[in-house]
Amino acid sequence: MSDLLRRLRARGWRLTAQRRVIAEVLDGEHVHYTADEVHARAVELLPEISRASVYNTLGELVALGEVTEVNTDGRVRRYDPNAHEAHQHLVCSGCGAIRDVRLTDDPLSALPEGERFGFQVAQATVTYYGRCPECVAANAAPGPAGSPTA
Amino acid sequence: MSDLLRRLRARGWRLTAQRRVIAEVLDGEHVHYTADEVHARAVELLPEISRASVYNTLGELVALGEVTEVNTDGRVRRYDPNAHEAHQHLVCSGCGAIRDVRLTDDPLSALPEGERFGFQVAQATVTYYGRCPECVAANAAPGPAGSPTA
DNA sequence: ATCCTATATTGGACTCAGTCCAAGTCAAGA
DNA sequence: TCTTGACTTGGACTGAGTCCAATATAGGAT
């Protein structure tokens, strides 16, 4: 993900080994790791990396708009590197799997003027809940992984 | 909120002083308290009520479908007694104020078949973020109260 | 009205995600 | 190669939420 690293460097970011590793971990499609998952994967590549650095770096990436915070279960925050394409999330209430999805309409258009209470509305997040093919097949009981709470 | 209590009684719920008090606290429009806020208000009415009872009771109300869990900031869970009317939420990113809003369209219709990845999609939650009239007037800086994370 | 017991409540210890901080390290410009 | 301000570290800390064994009580049975 040298694209990301190049952008960050242009913005004056100091390129440390820790940040490189975190950027590498966040590379991919439909990636929605928790901070601890990012840390676990980062440790594989750089054993001495600390939890604090992971939290710091993720927070900075979010502030820079390079990563989006996602909360699908009301518990843990997850980090989505797909921040440059508008999308929403589809969550399996069985196993917690998360997919990025693109909608046909801007969700803002579904909120009528009379329901805006004078707010200046800027943004909408939509989370869909259902069961993924594997969980439907397994008829798994709904677990704690992803119940609707947003 | 004796309506609620009557329904719960019909379902075999034991009506304790604690549960009555929690039901009373949850009575009202646009109510979205955290568990600790519910506890603080319940203590006013029944000083010896414990945090554990508040958590237990809220969890049961959610399981019974009488209260909905809401998470608008990726941190604290809130409890919405308006569980019988389909609605979504509008959150002020300045002060964290939350309003219930009714949409013109079912958000499920905005998710095309090709984006469902074989999931059996059951539900959607939509959260709108913006600034309430008071925060717009005060031009308050966005605080930690309600940044988009869902 | 009283008894009985399954169900509910309690406080305190515990977990887990996330934050904070002072001390040490290091990237990268001079 | 030096310097320095930005970055990293581990460990202590916070706050939301869970768990549990001991105690209390709602409400049906008598």
Side-chain angles (χ1 to χ4, degrees):
Chain A
M1 197 177 239
S2 49
D3 250 23
L4 167 58
L5 291 179
R6 216 173 299 123
R7 274 202 303 281
L8 294 173
R9 207 139 175 297
R11 294 225 225 175
W13 238 41
R14 244 166 77 173
L15 275 198
T16 66
Q18 292 82 352
R19 288 172 170 180
R20 274 177 224 276
V21 159
I22 290 168
E24 189 170 338
V25 167
L26 287 178
D27 194 14
E29 293 266 308
H30 300 288
V31 166
H32 306 93
Y33 294 142
T34 66
D36 275 343
E37 285 167 358
V38 171
H39 183 237
R41 283 170 171 78
V43 162
E44 307 277 304
L45 304 169
L46 184 70
E48 67 275 25
I49 192 171
S50 71
R51 258 174 30 101
S53 284
V54 171
Y55 275 102
N56 289 342
T57 303
L58 290 173
E60 283 155 16
L61 289 171
V62 169
L64 291 171
E66 295 288 350
V67 162
T68 309
E69 255 184 44
V70 176
N71 188 303
T72 55
D73 70 349
R75 269 150 263 264
V76 198
R77 285 175 236 178
R78 296 181 169 272
Y79 295 89
D80 182 348
N82 180 11
H84 293 294
E85 183 198 15
H87 68 280
Q88 306 299 336
H89 295 101
L90 170 57
V91 179
C92 177
S93 37
C95 64
I98 303 174
R99 317 291 321 231
D100 290 354
V101 293
R102 283 151 298 283
L103 304 191
T104 50
D105 307 308
D106 182 350
L108 286 177
S109 65
L111 182 63
E113 193 52 40
E115 289 288 294
R116 299 196 177 202
F117 298 94
F119 279 52
Q120 289 182 353
V121 183
Q123 195 190 345
T125 67
V126 185
T127 309
Y128 294 94
Y129 296 93
R131 324 206 93 221
C132 73
E134 289 73 31
C135 285
V136 168
N139 197 26
S147 27
T149 42
Chain B
M1 197 175 241
S2 49
D3 250 24
L4 168 58
L5 292 178
R6 216 173 300 123
R7 273 201 304 278
L8 294 174
R9 207 142 175 296
R11 294 225 224 175
W13 236 42
R14 247 168 74 173
L15 276 197
T16 66
Q18 291 82 350
R19 288 171 170 183
R20 274 177 225 276
V21 159
I22 290 168
E24 190 169 338
V25 167
L26 287 178
D27 193 14
E29 294 266 308
H30 300 288
V31 166
H32 306 94
Y33 294 142
T34 66
D36 274 342
E37 285 167 357
V38 170
H39 182 237
R41 282 170 173 77
V43 162
E44 307 277 303
L45 304 170
L46 184 69
E48 68 276 23
I49 192 172
S50 71
R51 258 171 32 99
S53 284
V54 171
Y55 275 101
N56 289 342
T57 303
L58 289 173
E60 283 156 16
L61 289 171
V62 169
L64 291 170
E66 295 288 350
V67 163
T68 309
E69 256 184 43
V70 176
N71 188 304
T72 56
D73 69 349
R75 271 149 261 265
V76 199
R77 284 175 238 179
R78 297 181 170 274
Y79 295 89
D80 183 347
N82 180 11
H84 293 293
E85 183 198 14
H87 69 279
Q88 306 298 337
H89 295 102
L90 170 58
V91 179
C92 177
S93 36
C95 65
I98 303 174
R99 316 290 321 230
D100 289 355
V101 293
R102 283 151 298 283
L103 305 190
T104 50
D105 307 308
D106 182 350
L108 286 178
S109 65
L111 182 64
E113 192 53 40
E115 289 288 294
R116 299 197 178 201
F117 298 94
F119 279 53
Q120 289 181 356
V121 183
Q123 194 189 346
T125 67
V126 185
T127 309
Y128 293 95
Y129 296 92
R131 323 205 93 223
C132 71
E134 290 73 29
C135 284
V136 169
N139 197 27
S147 27
T149 41

